[in-house]
Amino acid sequence: MASPDHRSGYSKYYSGRLSNLTEKSTDDDVRRVYDDWAHEYDKDGNSAGCVFHKPMVEFFDNAINEVFQGKIAKSDIRIMDAGAGTGLVGVELHKHDYSNVDALDISQEMLNEAKKKNVYSKFICAPLSDQRTPGIETDAYDALICVGTLSLAHVRPTAFVEMIRMVRNGGLVCVSIRPDGYKEFSEKMEELEHQGKWTLVKEGRVPHYDKEDMPRECRAYAYTVNKN
C-alpha cells in the first residue's frame, strides 16, 4: 500500500501491482503479487529509481563495524536477509565482503530470481511474521537486515519479535522503515526497547527513490539484541 502522496508514482512504475495490497491483505495475497512480479521486479525497480539497497547496506556495514569492532571476520558473520526478494541487498552485502548470508522471502519466485545472483547460502520461503519461522533456529544469526519490506501491507510490526528470536544475544538487527506505516512500526520498536529486548545503536535516513513522484527517503535503524 503506497502513501497517498506517492500512489500515482507506484502505479506508474509498478503497473498498479501494489494497489490491491492493504493492511488487510493476507500472506497469500502478498505471495501472489510477488510470484507474478518476480521476473519483472528488478527492471521495474530500476525504472522507478529505486536506490536504497546500496545506502542501506552501507548503513548496515557501519553498524556492524561499530557493534562488532572487527572481532568477527565479515566472511564469518552469519546474516539473515529478511524479505530478500530478488537478492538486491545480497548483491550489495557481497560487495562488502559478507559471504555467509541466507535469504528469507514469502515468494518462491522472488527467491528463484535471487538464486541467480549467487550471493546466498540458503533460501527459506516463508512469511515474515510474529510466528516462528520453520527451519530457523533461535540465535541462528549474528545479524539480520530487512530492507524495503516493512510496510503494513506486507508485514506487521509484531514481526520484530521473530527477528529478535533469530539473532543471538549481542547481535544486530538493521531495518529500513518505509514512509507508510512509520508510526505503527516505530511504536513497536520503542515498546521492545522499553522491554529491554533490544537497544538502539544507530539511526538515520537513507535515499529511497531518486524520482520526484516516489518516496525520496526511508528511515534506517540498527539495534543490538538483548537476551540476558
Side-chain angles (χ1 to χ4, degrees):
M1 181 178 65
S3 64
D5 292 340
H6 301 111
R7 283 176 183 164
S8 61
Y10 277 102
S11 180
K12 177 171 69 175
Y13 299 115
Y14 294 150
S15 303
R17 295 180 188 271
L18 299 175
S19 60
N20 292 326
L21 293 181
T22 71
E23 296 176 33
K24 296 181 180 180
S25 296
T26 66
D27 287 342
D28 284 340
D29 294 332
V30 176
R31 185 180 296 108
R32 279 193 293 269
V33 167
Y34 284 92
D35 277 348
D36 290 343
W37 193 4
H39 297 298
E40 303 293 327
Y41 184 85
D42 287 358
K43 177 178 68 67
D44 289 349
N46 286 334
S47 297
C50 183
V51 297
F52 59 90
H53 305 94
K54 181 177 179 179
M56 270 304 301
V57 170
E58 290 172 350
F59 180 90
F60 172 83
D61 186 54
N62 289 334
I64 286 284
N65 292 334
E66 182 176 333
V67 172
F68 294 162
Q69 298 182 343
K71 295 177 181 178
I72 309 175
K74 286 186 176 183
S75 59
D76 291 333
I77 297 175
R78 301 164 299 167
I79 300 172
M80 166 54 71
D81 182 2
T86 60
L88 297 175
V89 167
V91 169
E92 295 301 326
L93 288 169
H94 189 74
K95 292 177 183 177
H96 284 266
D97 299 322
Y98 297 103
S99 56
N100 192 359
V101 186
D102 291 347
L104 169 71
D105 201 86
I106 194 172
S107 165
Q108 184 59 54
E109 291 300 322
M110 295 286 274
L111 289 175
N112 290 344
E113 293 298 312
K115 288 179 182 178
K116 299 175 184 178
K117 295 180 172 66
N118 297 313
V119 293
Y120 294 106
S121 302
K122 182 179 179 181
F123 299 86
I124 301 167
C125 186
L128 184 59
S129 71
D130 60 346
Q131 300 300 304
R132 186 184 180 104
T133 308
I136 300 179
E137 297 297 324
T138 298
D139 303 340
Y141 296 98
D142 299 302
L144 178 148
I145 184 169
C146 182
V147 178
T149 302
L150 298 182
S151 164
L152 291 175
H154 296 71
V155 177
R156 306 296 183 265
T158 51
F160 288 134
V161 175
E162 173 63 358
M163 294 184 193
I164 290 171
R165 185 193 70 82
M166 295 181 194
V167 177
R168 66 168 174 84
N169 182 52
L172 186 77
V173 174
C174 181
V175 301
S176 71
I177 307 294
R178 290 161 51 158
D180 54 307
Y182 171 72
K183 177 178 180 293
E184 291 82 356
F185 284 106
S186 63
E187 287 176 351
K188 187 63 178 179
M189 289 190 293
E190 291 173 5
E191 175 188 320
L192 290 168
E193 186 161 26
H194 291 154
Q195 293 173 354
K197 302 296 185 181
W198 60 12
T199 301
L200 181 66
V201 294
K202 189 176 182 64
E203 65 178 303
R205 295 173 183 259
V206 301
H208 196 173
Y209 290 90
D210 64 8
K211 297 291 179 69
E212 291 294 338
D213 51 355
M214 296 293 280
R216 299 307 299 272
E217 63 180 15
C218 57
R219 304 192 188 201
Y221 298 86
Y223 290 87
T224 51
V225 171
N226 305 319
K227 294 187 176 180
N228 290 334

